[in-house]
Amino acid sequence: MPGGRMGRAFLTEEEKANRPKVTGALIRRILSYLRPYWKQMLLVFTAIAVSSVFSLTPSVLTGRIIDEGLIGRNFRALVTLILLSLAVTLGANLIGVLESYLNSWIAQHITYDLRNTMYAHLQQMPQSFFTSHKQGDIITRMTSDISGVQQVVSGTLASILSNTITLIVALLAMYQKNWMLATLGVLIIPLFIIPTRSAGKTRWSLTREAQECSDEINGILNETLSVSGQLLVKLFGKEQDEYSRYEAVNRRMVRLNIREGMAGRWFRVALSTFASIGPMLLYLAGGILIMRGDPTLTVGDITVFVALLGKMYGPVNQLLNIQVDWIRSMAMFTRIFEYLDMPVEIQNAPDAITPDAPGTVMPNAAAEVDGADAATGPDAAGAGATGAKGRIVFDHVYFSYSPERQILKDVSFTLEPGKSIAIVGPSGSGKSTMVHLIPRLYDVTAGSVSFDGIDVRRLDLGYLRRNIGIVSQETYLFNGTIRDNLLYAKEDASEAQLEEACRTANIWDFICSQEQGLDSFVGNRGLKLSGGEKQRISIARVLLKDPALLIFDEATSALDSISERKIQDAIDPLIDARTSILIAHRLSTILAADEILVVQDGMIVERGTHEELLGAGSGSKGVYAQLYETQFRIGKQQS
């Protein structure tokens, strides 16, 4: 049995507990991925069968070489049989190369199909999927699980067929010569298997402990040798404590590695001993039969029995362990199908509308927004690259992530083209959720959200999201250059368009100060830039998209006052020029809006201008007035 398979010979307790239920439907679904390559699979099976027979032929020919060539003193037969044996061996190896290539080709193409299918499916998942599932789990399904399928195709299936054919041919050849020696050979095989499996369990247990220890070491290294971790260690004077912790785990790893190495050594001793017992018993039994005058048995026959017995050890062990590989394979497919079976909750309607498509007949928008004219407002105000106006209407909107927790309750408001609305309220009141409903990152539970008079659920998703630009608090930049990140919004943007967007976003002077200019690298997630610089690049990127509606979701909340001032200088003219929604915690941003919506517990509890909401001398203290006293006044003092 190959040493590399030992660690895979046994199921972990977790694998036993989560053993998948294998059904006919699951098998048929798996086979559906093999079906496009059935011709190649047939060729692989044929190659495996021929190669398995060819690989046993030299062992059978060995008996004739001894009996006819050596004992019979027939030189011509000796040379012929040796050449034939070499030719068969070469043929088996060449066919094995072809089989390996075809196996790899099929496995790679199946995993290619699965990766594409999975990635396309995940791209359609709603935002709630990515907020409720661990990123590591998603990546594992995309990488490790799908890569494991390759082993199923190229390893497990081929192993079952190859080992089965080898055993059948070997047994037929042995029983054809002498049934007593063949039966003895079959009875000897367990003597080899028992120590192999026992040693395998021991090594698997030690390997698992060593892996856990290695994970602990990696955890210590990640925590204490990172930039933030090292700073914390130094500031609290914990260098010696961390060294002691690392040294203890490192010492435990050494002990485990020594035990694992010695377990392997004892295994090889047992393996070598039992591997020698089998042939010796066959020589003994065969010798007794020959000495008693059995005319059907020759010295060459005994040699063939010994050779075939050796060929049977590996296949028997691998077939005994095939259940483990099979269960792991089914578990991987089950995990993959679990994701693929998740419904695509947010997708285009069958009759999705693309207003800027040639020949599109627009529905009666007025009827959908209670008689309002979708073209209300300045003709050009707020118009994006597609000519959309960006008129937004929330009509008695309800939303919840789960039935037991209502997030938005009966939210209604209208945002006219060219106008701006500020949404304020306590943390967790539902402000960000409201704006996420517009580009359909989530869908409403009840009510409707319309864009230019059309329910967003009836609009083509591509069209809808092209016309909405969001600058969020958590800016994300790809690990590339500033130019790469800007062109993500518009691949064919000219240098003049890039410069104009950057000037408008108040970031051009900073870019010019960099040695590489637009070709300066921003680092992973933009770590080479400050928060304000990343935010302004994000604004420039959204401007290149040229959306009809701009949404600023607390775009300055995590920045210092200087960075905030620069971003505010960039935002102010944009609010005047485009239809805008601002979620803000700074008074200067709120005052720039045409109307303020105050949200509390998922409801709009107040609305109006700054002066109206403060009470205008009425002496009342509503939610906005309280926010102003506790939060916004600070922003006024800082500005």
Side-chain angles (χ1 to χ4, degrees), residues 323-357:
Q323 179 192 13
V324 175
D325 291 335
W326 175 259
I327 291 172
R328 287 193 175 123
S329 302
M330 293 302 102
M332 281 186 291
F333 275 112
T334 301
R335 283 167 55 83
I336 292 169
F337 294 154
E338 180 186 344
Y339 267 27
L340 290 176
D341 289 339
M342 289 182 179
V344 179
E345 299 172 4
I346 297 177
Q347 55 186 319
N348 274 341
D351 56 347
I353 300 168
T354 308
D356 59 350

PDB file of all heavy atoms in Angstrom, residues 323-357:
ATOM      1  N   GLN A 323     -13.900   2.759   0.695  1.00  0.00           N
ATOM      2  CA  GLN A 323     -15.102   3.281   1.347  1.00  0.00           C
ATOM      3  C   GLN A 323     -14.840   4.666   1.930  1.00  0.00           C
ATOM      4  O   GLN A 323     -15.686   5.552   1.865  1.00  0.00           O
ATOM      5  CB  GLN A 323     -15.561   2.324   2.443  1.00  0.00           C
ATOM      6  CG  GLN A 323     -16.805   2.821   3.184  1.00  0.00           C
ATOM      7  CD  GLN A 323     -17.092   2.027   4.436  1.00  0.00           C
ATOM      8  OE1 GLN A 323     -16.250   1.258   4.888  1.00  0.00           O
ATOM      9  NE2 GLN A 323     -18.252   2.221   5.018  1.00  0.00           N
ATOM     10  N   VAL A 324     -13.645   4.830   2.500  1.00  0.00           N
ATOM     11  CA  VAL A 324     -13.288   6.125   3.081  1.00  0.00           C
ATOM     12  C   VAL A 324     -13.231   7.187   2.000  1.00  0.00           C
ATOM     13  O   VAL A 324     -13.790   8.285   2.139  1.00  0.00           O
ATOM     14  CB  VAL A 324     -11.932   6.023   3.815  1.00  0.00           C
ATOM     15  CG1 VAL A 324     -11.502   7.388   4.326  1.00  0.00           C
ATOM     16  CG2 VAL A 324     -12.031   5.040   4.964  1.00  0.00           C
ATOM     17  N   ASP A 325     -12.542   6.860   0.885  1.00  0.00           N
ATOM     18  CA  ASP A 325     -12.462   7.814  -0.221  1.00  0.00           C
ATOM     19  C   ASP A 325     -13.852   8.113  -0.783  1.00  0.00           C
ATOM     20  O   ASP A 325     -14.157   9.248  -1.158  1.00  0.00           O
ATOM     21  CB  ASP A 325     -11.564   7.265  -1.333  1.00  0.00           C
ATOM     22  CG  ASP A 325     -10.098   7.205  -0.918  1.00  0.00           C
ATOM     23  OD1 ASP A 325      -9.718   7.993  -0.029  1.00  0.00           O
ATOM     24  OD2 ASP A 325      -9.358   6.383  -1.463  1.00  0.00           O
ATOM     25  N   TRP A 326     -14.677   7.089  -0.845  1.00  0.00           N
ATOM     26  CA  TRP A 326     -16.029   7.253  -1.379  1.00  0.00           C
ATOM     27  C   TRP A 326     -16.851   8.195  -0.503  1.00  0.00           C
ATOM     28  O   TRP A 326     -17.517   9.107  -1.006  1.00  0.00           O
ATOM     29  CB  TRP A 326     -16.693   5.883  -1.462  1.00  0.00           C
ATOM     30  CG  TRP A 326     -18.124   5.914  -1.893  1.00  0.00           C
ATOM     31  CD1 TRP A 326     -19.232   5.816  -1.110  1.00  0.00           C
ATOM     32  CD2 TRP A 326     -18.610   6.081  -3.242  1.00  0.00           C
ATOM     33  NE1 TRP A 326     -20.377   5.900  -1.849  1.00  0.00           N
ATOM     34  CE2 TRP A 326     -20.026   6.055  -3.175  1.00  0.00           C
ATOM     35  CE3 TRP A 326     -18.003   6.233  -4.468  1.00  0.00           C
ATOM     36  CZ2 TRP A 326     -20.827   6.180  -4.295  1.00  0.00           C
ATOM     37  CZ3 TRP A 326     -18.801   6.354  -5.594  1.00  0.00           C
ATOM     38  CH2 TRP A 326     -20.188   6.336  -5.512  1.00  0.00           C
ATOM     39  N   ILE A 327     -16.784   7.993   0.825  1.00  0.00           N
ATOM     40  CA  ILE A 327     -17.541   8.853   1.740  1.00  0.00           C
ATOM     41  C   ILE A 327     -17.049  10.295   1.650  1.00  0.00           C
ATOM     42  O   ILE A 327     -17.845  11.241   1.623  1.00  0.00           O
ATOM     43  CB  ILE A 327     -17.427   8.322   3.183  1.00  0.00           C
ATOM     44  CG1 ILE A 327     -18.185   6.999   3.311  1.00  0.00           C
ATOM     45  CG2 ILE A 327     -17.953   9.336   4.190  1.00  0.00           C
ATOM     46  CD1 ILE A 327     -17.982   6.301   4.636  1.00  0.00           C
ATOM     47  N   ARG A 328     -15.717  10.469   1.608  1.00  0.00           N
ATOM     48  CA  ARG A 328     -15.179  11.828   1.496  1.00  0.00           C
ATOM     49  C   ARG A 328     -15.604  12.471   0.174  1.00  0.00           C
ATOM     50  O   ARG A 328     -15.909  13.661   0.128  1.00  0.00           O
ATOM     51  CB  ARG A 328     -13.654  11.786   1.602  1.00  0.00           C
ATOM     52  CG  ARG A 328     -13.160  11.500   3.016  1.00  0.00           C
ATOM     53  CD  ARG A 328     -11.680  11.783   3.140  1.00  0.00           C
ATOM     54  NE  ARG A 328     -11.258  11.607   4.528  1.00  0.00           N
ATOM     55  CZ  ARG A 328     -10.309  10.782   4.929  1.00  0.00           C
ATOM     56  NH1 ARG A 328      -9.651  10.066   4.035  1.00  0.00           N
ATOM     57  NH2 ARG A 328      -9.985  10.667   6.196  1.00  0.00           N
ATOM     58  N   SER A 329     -15.612  11.683  -0.879  1.00  0.00           N
ATOM     59  CA  SER A 329     -16.015  12.202  -2.186  1.00  0.00           C
ATOM     60  C   SER A 329     -17.471  12.649  -2.158  1.00  0.00           C
ATOM     61  O   SER A 329     -17.814  13.738  -2.628  1.00  0.00           O
ATOM     62  CB  SER A 329     -15.813  11.140  -3.266  1.00  0.00           C
ATOM     63  OG  SER A 329     -14.470  10.718  -3.324  1.00  0.00           O
ATOM     64  N   MET A 330     -18.330  11.812  -1.593  1.00  0.00           N
ATOM     65  CA  MET A 330     -19.754  12.156  -1.515  1.00  0.00           C
ATOM     66  C   MET A 330     -19.961  13.398  -0.638  1.00  0.00           C
ATOM     67  O   MET A 330     -20.827  14.236  -0.922  1.00  0.00           O
ATOM     68  CB  MET A 330     -20.548  10.981  -0.936  1.00  0.00           C
ATOM     69  CG  MET A 330     -20.601   9.750  -1.844  1.00  0.00           C
ATOM     70  SD  MET A 330     -21.305  10.068  -3.489  1.00  0.00           S
ATOM     71  CE  MET A 330     -19.803  10.147  -4.478  1.00  0.00           C
ATOM     72  N   ALA A 331     -19.146  13.512   0.423  1.00  0.00           N
ATOM     73  CA  ALA A 331     -19.262  14.681   1.306  1.00  0.00           C
ATOM     74  C   ALA A 331     -18.900  15.960   0.551  1.00  0.00           C
ATOM     75  O   ALA A 331     -19.559  16.996   0.712  1.00  0.00           O
ATOM     76  CB  ALA A 331     -18.359  14.509   2.524  1.00  0.00           C
ATOM     77  N   MET A 332     -17.852  15.886  -0.271  1.00  0.00           N
ATOM     78  CA  MET A 332     -17.452  17.070  -1.043  1.00  0.00           C
ATOM     79  C   MET A 332     -18.532  17.468  -2.036  1.00  0.00           C
ATOM     80  O   MET A 332     -18.883  18.646  -2.166  1.00  0.00           O
ATOM     81  CB  MET A 332     -16.126  16.808  -1.768  1.00  0.00           C
ATOM     82  CG  MET A 332     -14.916  16.928  -0.871  1.00  0.00           C
ATOM     83  SD  MET A 332     -13.361  16.800  -1.768  1.00  0.00           S
ATOM     84  CE  MET A 332     -13.385  15.090  -2.254  1.00  0.00           C
ATOM     85  N   PHE A 333     -19.073  16.485  -2.748  1.00  0.00           N
ATOM     86  CA  PHE A 333     -20.143  16.787  -3.697  1.00  0.00           C
ATOM     87  C   PHE A 333     -21.361  17.352  -2.977  1.00  0.00           C
ATOM     88  O   PHE A 333     -22.011  18.281  -3.467  1.00  0.00           O
ATOM     89  CB  PHE A 333     -20.538  15.527  -4.478  1.00  0.00           C
ATOM     90  CG  PHE A 333     -19.677  15.262  -5.679  1.00  0.00           C
ATOM     91  CD1 PHE A 333     -18.819  14.176  -5.713  1.00  0.00           C
ATOM     92  CD2 PHE A 333     -19.727  16.100  -6.779  1.00  0.00           C
ATOM     93  CE1 PHE A 333     -18.028  13.927  -6.813  1.00  0.00           C
ATOM     94  CE2 PHE A 333     -18.929  15.863  -7.892  1.00  0.00           C
ATOM     95  CZ  PHE A 333     -18.081  14.771  -7.917  1.00  0.00           C
ATOM     96  N   THR A 334     -21.674  16.801  -1.813  1.00  0.00           N
ATOM     97  CA  THR A 334     -22.825  17.281  -1.051  1.00  0.00           C
ATOM     98  C   THR A 334     -22.636  18.740  -0.649  1.00  0.00           C
ATOM     99  O   THR A 334     -23.571  19.553  -0.724  1.00  0.00           O
ATOM    100  CB  THR A 334     -23.033  16.412   0.203  1.00  0.00           C
ATOM    101  OG1 THR A 334     -23.244  15.054  -0.185  1.00  0.00           O
ATOM    102  CG2 THR A 334     -24.235  16.887   1.001  1.00  0.00           C
ATOM    103  N   ARG A 335     -21.436  19.091  -0.199  1.00  0.00           N
ATOM    104  CA  ARG A 335     -21.139  20.475   0.187  1.00  0.00           C
ATOM    105  C   ARG A 335     -21.239  21.415  -1.013  1.00  0.00           C
ATOM    106  O   ARG A 335     -21.753  22.537  -0.910  1.00  0.00           O
ATOM    107  CB  ARG A 335     -19.749  20.562   0.811  1.00  0.00           C
ATOM    108  CG  ARG A 335     -19.685  20.073   2.242  1.00  0.00           C
ATOM    109  CD  ARG A 335     -18.250  19.877   2.712  1.00  0.00           C
ATOM    110  NE  ARG A 335     -17.445  21.075   2.539  1.00  0.00           N
ATOM    111  CZ  ARG A 335     -17.408  22.093   3.397  1.00  0.00           C
ATOM    112  NH1 ARG A 335     -18.130  22.047   4.490  1.00  0.00           N
ATOM    113  NH2 ARG A 335     -16.638  23.133   3.168  1.00  0.00           N
ATOM    114  N   ILE A 336     -20.751  20.968  -2.148  1.00  0.00           N
ATOM    115  CA  ILE A 336     -20.813  21.785  -3.359  1.00  0.00           C
ATOM    116  C   ILE A 336     -22.265  21.987  -3.781  1.00  0.00           C
ATOM    117  O   ILE A 336     -22.705  23.110  -4.064  1.00  0.00           O
ATOM    118  CB  ILE A 336     -20.004  21.133  -4.489  1.00  0.00           C
ATOM    119  CG1 ILE A 336     -18.511  21.160  -4.166  1.00  0.00           C
ATOM    120  CG2 ILE A 336     -20.265  21.838  -5.822  1.00  0.00           C
ATOM    121  CD1 ILE A 336     -17.664  20.307  -5.084  1.00  0.00           C
ATOM    122  N   PHE A 337     -23.047  20.894  -3.807  1.00  0.00           N
ATOM    123  CA  PHE A 337     -24.447  20.982  -4.232  1.00  0.00           C
ATOM    124  C   PHE A 337     -25.278  21.782  -3.240  1.00  0.00           C
ATOM    125  O   PHE A 337     -26.279  22.398  -3.615  1.00  0.00           O
ATOM    126  CB  PHE A 337     -25.028  19.580  -4.405  1.00  0.00           C
ATOM    127  CG  PHE A 337     -24.401  18.806  -5.537  1.00  0.00           C
ATOM    128  CD1 PHE A 337     -24.383  17.410  -5.533  1.00  0.00           C
ATOM    129  CD2 PHE A 337     -23.831  19.462  -6.617  1.00  0.00           C
ATOM    130  CE1 PHE A 337     -23.803  16.702  -6.575  1.00  0.00           C
ATOM    131  CE2 PHE A 337     -23.246  18.754  -7.666  1.00  0.00           C
ATOM    132  CZ  PHE A 337     -23.236  17.369  -7.641  1.00  0.00           C
ATOM    133  N   GLU A 338     -24.862  21.778  -1.969  1.00  0.00           N
ATOM    134  CA  GLU A 338     -25.578  22.567  -0.958  1.00  0.00           C
ATOM    135  C   GLU A 338     -25.577  24.049  -1.346  1.00  0.00           C
ATOM    136  O   GLU A 338     -26.594  24.734  -1.208  1.00  0.00           O
ATOM    137  CB  GLU A 338     -24.924  22.374   0.398  1.00  0.00           C
ATOM    138  CG  GLU A 338     -25.579  23.154   1.535  1.00  0.00           C
ATOM    139  CD  GLU A 338     -24.819  23.041   2.838  1.00  0.00           C
ATOM    140  OE1 GLU A 338     -23.963  22.136   2.957  1.00  0.00           O
ATOM    141  OE2 GLU A 338     -25.061  23.863   3.732  1.00  0.00           O
ATOM    142  N   TYR A 339     -24.442  24.532  -1.827  1.00  0.00           N
ATOM    143  CA  TYR A 339     -24.362  25.930  -2.269  1.00  0.00           C
ATOM    144  C   TYR A 339     -25.095  26.136  -3.592  1.00  0.00           C
ATOM    145  O   TYR A 339     -25.812  27.125  -3.776  1.00  0.00           O
ATOM    146  CB  TYR A 339     -22.897  26.350  -2.413  1.00  0.00           C
ATOM    147  CG  TYR A 339     -22.331  27.006  -1.167  1.00  0.00           C
ATOM    148  CD1 TYR A 339     -22.840  26.714   0.080  1.00  0.00           C
ATOM    149  CD2 TYR A 339     -21.285  27.920  -1.240  1.00  0.00           C
ATOM    150  CE1 TYR A 339     -22.327  27.298   1.234  1.00  0.00           C
ATOM    151  CE2 TYR A 339     -20.757  28.515  -0.099  1.00  0.00           C
ATOM    152  CZ  TYR A 339     -21.290  28.197   1.132  1.00  0.00           C
ATOM    153  OH  TYR A 339     -20.788  28.790   2.258  1.00  0.00           O
ATOM    154  N   LEU A 340     -24.890  25.194  -4.528  1.00  0.00           N
ATOM    155  CA  LEU A 340     -25.521  25.354  -5.837  1.00  0.00           C
ATOM    156  C   LEU A 340     -27.046  25.310  -5.745  1.00  0.00           C
ATOM    157  O   LEU A 340     -27.740  25.865  -6.610  1.00  0.00           O
ATOM    158  CB  LEU A 340     -25.030  24.265  -6.796  1.00  0.00           C
ATOM    159  CG  LEU A 340     -23.574  24.375  -7.250  1.00  0.00           C
ATOM    160  CD1 LEU A 340     -23.197  23.188  -8.125  1.00  0.00           C
ATOM    161  CD2 LEU A 340     -23.320  25.675  -7.998  1.00  0.00           C
ATOM    162  N   ASP A 341     -27.577  24.666  -4.707  1.00  0.00           N
ATOM    163  CA  ASP A 341     -29.028  24.548  -4.552  1.00  0.00           C
ATOM    164  C   ASP A 341     -29.649  25.740  -3.836  1.00  0.00           C
ATOM    165  O   ASP A 341     -30.871  25.817  -3.722  1.00  0.00           O
ATOM    166  CB  ASP A 341     -29.376  23.265  -3.793  1.00  0.00           C
ATOM    167  CG  ASP A 341     -29.130  22.016  -4.623  1.00  0.00           C
ATOM    168  OD1 ASP A 341     -29.083  22.138  -5.865  1.00  0.00           O
ATOM    169  OD2 ASP A 341     -28.967  20.931  -4.044  1.00  0.00           O
ATOM    170  N   MET A 342     -28.810  26.629  -3.340  1.00  0.00           N
ATOM    171  CA  MET A 342     -29.366  27.829  -2.700  1.00  0.00           C
ATOM    172  C   MET A 342     -30.055  28.681  -3.759  1.00  0.00           C
ATOM    173  O   MET A 342     -29.473  28.969  -4.804  1.00  0.00           O
ATOM    174  CB  MET A 342     -28.259  28.631  -2.018  1.00  0.00           C
ATOM    175  CG  MET A 342     -27.711  27.953  -0.782  1.00  0.00           C
ATOM    176  SD  MET A 342     -26.437  28.969   0.034  1.00  0.00           S
ATOM    177  CE  MET A 342     -26.049  27.930   1.433  1.00  0.00           C
ATOM    178  N   PRO A 343     -31.286  29.072  -3.514  1.00  0.00           N
ATOM    179  CA  PRO A 343     -32.027  29.817  -4.543  1.00  0.00           C
ATOM    180  C   PRO A 343     -31.442  31.200  -4.796  1.00  0.00           C
ATOM    181  O   PRO A 343     -30.929  31.851  -3.881  1.00  0.00           O
ATOM    182  CB  PRO A 343     -33.435  29.922  -3.943  1.00  0.00           C
ATOM    183  CG  PRO A 343     -33.224  29.823  -2.463  1.00  0.00           C
ATOM    184  CD  PRO A 343     -32.064  28.889  -2.271  1.00  0.00           C
ATOM    185  N   VAL A 344     -31.505  31.626  -6.045  1.00  0.00           N
ATOM    186  CA  VAL A 344     -31.110  32.987  -6.411  1.00  0.00           C
ATOM    187  C   VAL A 344     -32.313  33.881  -6.139  1.00  0.00           C
ATOM    188  O   VAL A 344     -33.248  33.937  -6.935  1.00  0.00           O
ATOM    189  CB  VAL A 344     -30.677  33.059  -7.890  1.00  0.00           C
ATOM    190  CG1 VAL A 344     -30.289  34.495  -8.249  1.00  0.00           C
ATOM    191  CG2 VAL A 344     -29.522  32.106  -8.150  1.00  0.00           C
ATOM    192  N   GLU A 345     -32.288  34.540  -5.002  1.00  0.00           N
ATOM    193  CA  GLU A 345     -33.458  35.299  -4.557  1.00  0.00           C
ATOM    194  C   GLU A 345     -33.649  36.577  -5.355  1.00  0.00           C
ATOM    195  O   GLU A 345     -34.785  37.024  -5.560  1.00  0.00           O
ATOM    196  CB  GLU A 345     -33.325  35.625  -3.067  1.00  0.00           C
ATOM    197  CG  GLU A 345     -33.252  34.379  -2.179  1.00  0.00           C
ATOM    198  CD  GLU A 345     -32.934  34.716  -0.743  1.00  0.00           C
ATOM    199  OE1 GLU A 345     -32.851  35.919  -0.426  1.00  0.00           O
ATOM    200  OE2 GLU A 345     -32.767  33.788   0.071  1.00  0.00           O
ATOM    201  N   ILE A 346     -32.551  37.208  -5.754  1.00  0.00           N
ATOM    202  CA  ILE A 346     -32.649  38.471  -6.480  1.00  0.00           C
ATOM    203  C   ILE A 346     -32.132  38.266  -7.896  1.00  0.00           C
ATOM    204  O   ILE A 346     -30.931  38.058  -8.097  1.00  0.00           O
ATOM    205  CB  ILE A 346     -31.858  39.580  -5.761  1.00  0.00           C
ATOM    206  CG1 ILE A 346     -32.473  39.830  -4.380  1.00  0.00           C
ATOM    207  CG2 ILE A 346     -31.834  40.856  -6.591  1.00  0.00           C
ATOM    208  CD1 ILE A 346     -31.745  40.856  -3.555  1.00  0.00           C
ATOM    209  N   GLN A 347     -33.030  38.301  -8.871  1.00  0.00           N
ATOM    210  CA  GLN A 347     -32.657  38.115 -10.259  1.00  0.00           C
ATOM    211  C   GLN A 347     -33.631  38.867 -11.146  1.00  0.00           C
ATOM    212  O   GLN A 347     -34.670  39.352 -10.693  1.00  0.00           O
ATOM    213  CB  GLN A 347     -32.639  36.632 -10.612  1.00  0.00           C
ATOM    214  CG  GLN A 347     -33.939  35.899 -10.316  1.00  0.00           C
ATOM    215  CD  GLN A 347     -33.816  34.407 -10.545  1.00  0.00           C
ATOM    216  OE1 GLN A 347     -33.202  33.969 -11.507  1.00  0.00           O
ATOM    217  NE2 GLN A 347     -34.394  33.602  -9.657  1.00  0.00           N
ATOM    218  N   ASN A 348     -33.288  38.961 -12.407  1.00  0.00           N
ATOM    219  CA  ASN A 348     -34.141  39.668 -13.345  1.00  0.00           C
ATOM    220  C   ASN A 348     -35.484  38.966 -13.502  1.00  0.00           C
ATOM    221  O   ASN A 348     -35.554  37.736 -13.562  1.00  0.00           O
ATOM    222  CB  ASN A 348     -33.466  39.753 -14.719  1.00  0.00           C
ATOM    223  CG  ASN A 348     -32.552  40.954 -14.820  1.00  0.00           C
ATOM    224  OD1 ASN A 348     -32.672  41.900 -14.045  1.00  0.00           O
ATOM    225  ND2 ASN A 348     -31.631  40.925 -15.759  1.00  0.00           N
ATOM    226  N   ALA A 349     -36.546  39.772 -13.597  1.00  0.00           N
ATOM    227  CA  ALA A 349     -37.852  39.223 -13.933  1.00  0.00           C
ATOM    228  C   ALA A 349     -37.821  38.765 -15.394  1.00  0.00           C
ATOM    229  O   ALA A 349     -37.025  39.265 -16.206  1.00  0.00           O
ATOM    230  CB  ALA A 349     -38.930  40.294 -13.738  1.00  0.00           C
ATOM    231  N   PRO A 350     -38.656  37.783 -15.762  1.00  0.00           N
ATOM    232  CA  PRO A 350     -38.664  37.308 -17.157  1.00  0.00           C
ATOM    233  C   PRO A 350     -38.899  38.425 -18.169  1.00  0.00           C
ATOM    234  O   PRO A 350     -38.369  38.383 -19.282  1.00  0.00           O
ATOM    235  CB  PRO A 350     -39.821  36.297 -17.168  1.00  0.00           C
ATOM    236  CG  PRO A 350     -39.954  35.849 -15.739  1.00  0.00           C
ATOM    237  CD  PRO A 350     -39.605  37.049 -14.917  1.00  0.00           C
ATOM    238  N   ASP A 351     -39.681  39.427 -17.780  1.00  0.00           N
ATOM    239  CA  ASP A 351     -39.970  40.554 -18.679  1.00  0.00           C
ATOM    240  C   ASP A 351     -39.280  41.827 -18.179  1.00  0.00           C
ATOM    241  O   ASP A 351     -39.843  42.929 -18.252  1.00  0.00           O
ATOM    242  CB  ASP A 351     -41.467  40.785 -18.786  1.00  0.00           C
ATOM    243  CG  ASP A 351     -42.122  41.021 -17.414  1.00  0.00           C
ATOM    244  OD1 ASP A 351     -41.452  40.756 -16.381  1.00  0.00           O
ATOM    245  OD2 ASP A 351     -43.290  41.474 -17.378  1.00  0.00           O
ATOM    246  N   ALA A 352     -38.046  41.686 -17.677  1.00  0.00           N
ATOM    247  CA  ALA A 352     -37.321  42.829 -17.116  1.00  0.00           C
ATOM    248  C   ALA A 352     -37.204  43.960 -18.136  1.00  0.00           C
ATOM    249  O   ALA A 352     -36.976  43.732 -19.336  1.00  0.00           O
ATOM    250  CB  ALA A 352     -35.940  42.392 -16.660  1.00  0.00           C
ATOM    251  N   ILE A 353     -37.335  45.183 -17.630  1.00  0.00           N
ATOM    252  CA  ILE A 353     -37.334  46.375 -18.490  1.00  0.00           C
ATOM    253  C   ILE A 353     -35.954  47.023 -18.488  1.00  0.00           C
ATOM    254  O   ILE A 353     -35.348  47.220 -17.434  1.00  0.00           O
ATOM    255  CB  ILE A 353     -38.379  47.391 -17.983  1.00  0.00           C
ATOM    256  CG1 ILE A 353     -39.780  46.770 -18.012  1.00  0.00           C
ATOM    257  CG2 ILE A 353     -38.338  48.677 -18.817  1.00  0.00           C
ATOM    258  CD1 ILE A 353     -40.817  47.591 -17.259  1.00  0.00           C
ATOM    259  N   THR A 354     -35.457  47.335 -19.683  1.00  0.00           N
ATOM    260  CA  THR A 354     -34.222  48.103 -19.838  1.00  0.00           C
ATOM    261  C   THR A 354     -34.581  49.383 -20.581  1.00  0.00           C
ATOM    262  O   THR A 354     -34.634  49.394 -21.816  1.00  0.00           O
ATOM    263  CB  THR A 354     -33.162  47.303 -20.617  1.00  0.00           C
ATOM    264  OG1 THR A 354     -32.991  46.022 -20.008  1.00  0.00           O
ATOM    265  CG2 THR A 354     -31.831  48.034 -20.633  1.00  0.00           C
ATOM    266  N   PRO A 355     -34.859  50.474 -19.866  1.00  0.00           N
ATOM    267  CA  PRO A 355     -35.369  51.693 -20.510  1.00  0.00           C
ATOM    268  C   PRO A 355     -34.498  52.241 -21.625  1.00  0.00           C
ATOM    269  O   PRO A 355     -35.015  52.845 -22.568  1.00  0.00           O
ATOM    270  CB  PRO A 355     -35.460  52.686 -19.336  1.00  0.00           C
ATOM    271  CG  PRO A 355     -35.668  51.822 -18.138  1.00  0.00           C
ATOM    272  CD  PRO A 355     -34.842  50.610 -18.396  1.00  0.00           C
ATOM    273  N   ASP A 356     -33.159  52.078 -21.551  1.00  0.00           N
ATOM    274  CA  ASP A 356     -32.308  52.665 -22.580  1.00  0.00           C
ATOM    275  C   ASP A 356     -32.082  51.724 -23.757  1.00  0.00           C
ATOM    276  O   ASP A 356     -31.325  52.044 -24.675  1.00  0.00           O
ATOM    277  CB  ASP A 356     -30.962  53.094 -21.987  1.00  0.00           C
ATOM    278  CG  ASP A 356     -30.210  51.921 -21.361  1.00  0.00           C
ATOM    279  OD1 ASP A 356     -30.816  50.839 -21.222  1.00  0.00           O
ATOM    280  OD2 ASP A 356     -29.034  52.102 -21.005  1.00  0.00           O
ATOM    281  N   ALA A 357     -32.730  50.538 -23.741  1.00  0.00           N
ATOM    282  CA  ALA A 357     -32.574  49.614 -24.868  1.00  0.00           C
ATOM    283  C   ALA A 357     -33.421  50.085 -26.050  1.00  0.00           C
ATOM    284  O   ALA A 357     -34.529  50.594 -25.863  1.00  0.00           O
ATOM    285  CB  ALA A 357     -32.994  48.209 -24.451  1.00  0.00           C
TER     286      ALA A 357
END
